[in-house]
Structures are given as C-alpha cells and as structure tokens.
Amino acid sequence: MPLLRTTRRLLRQRRWKKRAVFAQPDRNLKERTRAFCEASTLAAQQRHIIALFSYIWNRPSDRGFAFVLLRWIRLLEQDRPLRAQFERSWITLLSGLDAVSVFSDTGLPAHHALLPEAFRRIFQRLLPSAREESDMARLFTTVFPSPRAIGRFVQLDRTTFHRLARVLWPKGGLDALPRLRDDLRQSLILLATRIAGRGASAPIRKRSSIASAEESSFYKLVFATEAFVQTVEESPHTALHSLFDAIHACRAEMLQVHAHMEDAGVSTALVFDLSSMDASLDRMQQLAAAFAADAKRDLQPARQLLNTLINARLEDTRILPLIRQNVNLLARKTVERSGHSGEHYIANNLKEYWQMWLAAAGGGLLTVFTAAVKLRVMQAPHPLFVEGFLIGTDYAISFLIMHTFRLALATKQPSMTAAAFAGIVRENRGVSRWSKIADFAARICRTQLAAAFGNVLAVCLGAVVFEQLWLHIFSAPYLPQKTATYVYETLHPLTSGTAIYAAVTGVVLWLAAVVGGWCENFAVYNRIPQAIAQHPLGMKIGTRRMQRLAHWFEDNISGWSTNITLGYMLGFTPEIAHFFGIPLDVRHVTLSTGMMALAAARFGVSAFGHHWFYMAVAGLALTFFLNLGVSFFIAANTGLRAYNVPHAERMQILKYVFGQAFRSPLRFLIPAETKEARTVEAQDRSSS
C-alpha cells in the first residue's frame, strides 16, 4: 500500500508539471497579446508586437517554435473577444506603418561600389541606424534577425501558414488597409520609374535596338504600371496580364542590350544596371501578383512575396552576399565580351594542330634566349626592383615577339580562351552544354599538349645548340656550375616549392588575360579606335594612315596589354614577395624548361646519369599540370559563376568531362579529321 500511494503521488506530480509546462506558454502568449492590444501609441504597439513575435519565432529549438506558434494561433481562434481586440490593434498598426521602402528597396541593389557598401553593412551590424517609428522595415529586421528565424517562416507547412494568415490578414483584405494598398501602388510606380531611368541611360540606349525613346519598352513600362494600379481592383486578371506583357517586353529589350555588348563593349556599371533592372522586374511581378490575388483571396503570391522580402532583409545586412554579388559582376564583365586575342589559341583540325606545333617550336627557340637573359640577370647583384624590372622587361619583349609572329607559349591558352568557354555556357543548357564543354576541353587539352611538347623539344634542342655555340665562341660554359646546380635544385618537386610556385603562376596567367580583356573592353567601350581614326593628326599624315593605326590598335590592344602585363607580373611577383619576406617564386613550364636545358647543357651528356636530372623533369611535368590546371580552372569557374551555374551542375559537368576523357582519350590528344568533325567544328566557330 505505501508503494502504491507513492506511485500515485509521483504520477500526479508529473501530470501537474506537464500541465504547468503547457500553461506557461499560454500565459505568456496571452499576456503579450493583451499588452499589444492595450497599447495606445504606434511606438508602444510596435514594441509589444515585436516582443510577441520575437518570443514565438526565436525559440531555442524548432520543436519549441512550432509548439508555441500553434498555441498562439489556437489561442486567438478560440478566444473570440481577444481575437477581435487583436484584429483592431493589428489593423491600426499596419495602417500606421510605411511599407514603401520594404517593397521597393529591400534586397534590390542600390549601387555597385563594393567598399562603401561593405563598410556601411559592417557599421550597421555594430550599430544599426535609427529608423522612423513608421518604417515597416524595423518590424522585419527585429523579428527575423537570423537565418534560423527566416527558415522557420519560409518552411511553414501550408496548413499552418493558412491558419496564421487568417489570424493576421483582415477579412476585408486591402480594403481594410488603404495605407498598405497605397504603398503597394507607390512601390510599383517607383520601381517602374527606376527601371525606366536606368533604361534611358546612354550606355543602354546605345546598345538597344529601339531608335526612339517613345518606343522604348522601359518608357512604356511606367504607363503600363499606372494603368495597372488604376484598374487592378476592377479587373485583376486583365490588368495583371497587361503589366506582365510590358515586363516581358522590357526583358526582351534587355536581351538586345546583352547581344550588342560584343560590339559596343561592357562596363561593371552597365552590368550592374542590367542586373538591378532584372531584379526590379522580378519584384514588380511579385508585387503585382500579390496585389491582384488579394481580390481572389489567393495566398500563394503573398506568401512568395513575404518569403522574398524576409530573406532579402537579412541579405541587406550581410557581407558575404555583397562580396558574392560583386564577384559575379566582375566575372560577368570579364567574360561578357569575347575579344579576339584568344582565337588562334585553339586547334580545331589537323591543319591547325600541326600549325600549333610549328608555332610552339618557334616559341621554344625564342624562350632559350629569354631564359638565358634571365639567368644572366639573376647572377648580377641587383636591387629587388631593378631585378624585377629587368626580368619583367625580358619576359615582356619575348612575349610581344611571340605575339607579333604568332608564336605559341604553352599554358597561356586556357586563360586567353575563357570568353569562348563563357559563350558555350551562355548559349547552351543541359546536356548540350555539357557536350560542348567536353568538346571544348578536348580541343584545349590537345592544343596544350601540342604547344607544350613543341615548346619543350624546341627549347631543349635550342639550349644545346646555344651552349655549344657559346662554348665555341667564348671557350667557357654559359652558366657557372653554381648557377646550373641552383636551377636543378629549384625544380625538385619534393624539396622545393615548385608545386606552390607553379600554381601561383597559373593565377598570374589568368590575371594577365583578365587585364588584356579589360583593356580591350575599355578601348571598345570608350570608342578609342574610332577616336584615333578621327584624330586631327590625320589632316597632316593622312586619313588612311590614321585608319590603319586605329585598326592596328583595335587588333593588338588585348594581345599587347596581356603580354606586357604577364611579363612584368612574372618578373615582379617574386621580388614583391621577397620585399615582404615571403619566399615566393614563379614557375612557368616553358621558361623553366629553358633554364633546365641550359643547366643540363652545362653538364653535358653526364647529366642523364644523375637522379636530380629526372627529378627536375618530374618538377617540369608538375609545373605544366599546375600551370594548365589552375589557369583553366579559374577561367572556367569565372565563366560558370558569371552565369550563375549551380554548384551541383558544375560537379556534373566535371564528371561528364572526365567520363568523356576515359571513354575516348584520343580526342583529347589529337583531332580526328572526319567530315562529321569538320561540320561540328564549323558550327561551333560560327556560333561563337
């Protein structure tokens, strides 16, 4: 009996504790709801509703959040007097809040300056700026301060969201909220005006196919929006359809602007304007759909709009999305214009393939003299800047000679052909995109192998001939034994930093190509060739000469800027690193092969009997792989990022390319000269 009584007492205590657990949220929810209903001023209402919603949405666990939210909804569903008080206070609150900034500014980029915006967001995180009491953005920011709180709202199941909407949305809809309805109208008109203003800018007008401003879709969008806000309540379906037609016309005109970027050039500001216009058109569609759906009591458009606004409000305060957005803008600018300097770097058939071998052989012979001059500069005790300048000048002159005589340098091609890769990504989707990327990778791979082997064979033979001639003329080896030994040691793949240096060189190769593309785009965007052709100097030396100079400038600006930049970046990178105490160097496969060949020629045939020779050869192979892989990876990733290809599809593309390489490795080594291959390659060239 005592045991039975003890058991009953424990069970009663457990039931009491359970009831207390359930009763505690009910009391808190009821007290907070009543406090909101009894508030007499707008500031007090905001303070109490923020406290209520924060109590619900910012629970420690998702299970606790779901439990408290459902208890609050059930409380208002069952307590009719409290619900009536809450509806009156809620309508009063919404009628006193300004929602224009939330609808028309939240999540929409205002300007493209990275550093000022980044500093503003950092300051906002440390000390949020004061907001007006009537600003609805204050409610969004405070209630949903974290991704967890936002995720809880976005992931509400359909039933719970509908129950919550019946509690929060008045039965009369927008008729009961004239201030909110007017804010929706003002936001639509404001967005349309911004789009029209950006569409009327000179860079967009020059690239548009519309001749007169009156015929511009951006100009017509303002009138279509005014017509929508005036007729949406009478005939929501017809008004929405008419506005969507105007929005689609704006998107079509923006496609024309994108298409004309090839001829007229592109700037970061232009790309930003187009991206901002596209985002504003999306927002207009969401606002209009929610506005029109209110008459039909359809909650889905309103839910999509709320999800977007709540997510965007948090994004406006975060740093990483801002950096990601600016990186995408830079990537889009880098690859939006294809340029002309990289066209001869891809071998599409057997004829071009063997021409690449000849061009690479010429580049290898020239590299012998480039490497010889560099080694001589390194032997002399120069200050860091002087040594970097001399080596960079040596590289730049060599690269310019290669460019002038159409010679080839291995591993420079992938970074120069990033625009062709981006064109494939831009113009294709799905399996077609994968197939064309695999074909492009095969052409790059076999072209690279031809250039690398041509460079290596020519530079090795040239170094031997150079050493013999030097020995015959001066009766002494070109390199002292100490320098030759140093060259071998720096190429060892395990005991030196060859792998790191080769990867850094791949980055340098890509950066030089970016600079070349930027210079070409700058010249086209600012119409520099036309300015040269129209220069008054033509009155003295002849108009035809100025036109030829303009054509020469247009054809060579990218190649010259790329090669000069690459030369001085390769020359100064080690010196700048050494200035800061960083033991960094560069390793380019052809230049390193030239130095190793000169060092091997110093030791003669006996070099083949030493293990360090073969370790240096292994280091050169690693250098080739990293030069090629890093530069092409960055160029390809830039093209994919520029057009927002998802990470999952990137992995699928990579898997597909490797699968094609295993299935048909010969196409990655030598082009197949067949009628079908010629047809496909001709189509690729015409499309690009």
Side-chain angles (χ1 to χ4, degrees), residues 295-327:
K296 300 180 293 183
R297 298 298 185 264
D298 183 6
L299 296 178
Q300 188 59 29
R303 181 171 188 179
Q304 292 178 353
L305 176 62
L306 284 174
N307 290 346
T308 300
L309 294 176
I310 292 173
N311 274 299
R313 194 68 218 170
L314 182 64
E315 293 294 301
D316 284 345
T317 63
R318 301 177 68 182
I319 305 299
L320 287 180
L322 174 68
I323 296 175
R324 191 181 304 115
Q325 178 191 25
N326 279 266
V327 169

Side-chain angles (χ1 to χ4, degrees), residues 396 508 511-512 515-516 519 560-570:
V508 170
L511 285 175
V515 173
C519 291
W560 276 64
S561 57
T562 299
N563 288 296
I564 293 174
T565 302
L566 178 60
Y568 283 106
M569 286 182 72
L570 291 175

Side-chain angles (χ1 to χ4, degrees), residues 124-139:
Q124 286 283 345
R125 298 291 291 272
L126 298 176
L127 182 62
S129 58
R131 298 183 181 275
E132 297 292 335
E133 291 184 357
S134 60
D135 190 356
M136 186 179 287
R138 181 183 174 190
L139 186 64

Side-chain angles (χ1 to χ4, degrees), residues 46-47 54 95 102 244 296 324 351 354 434 456 611 639:
Q46 272 197 299
R47 185 170 64 254
S54 298
S95 300
V102 175
F244 277 15
K296 300 180 293 183
R324 191 181 304 115
K351 180 180 178 181
W354 294 118
W434 302 0
V456 169
H611 75 281

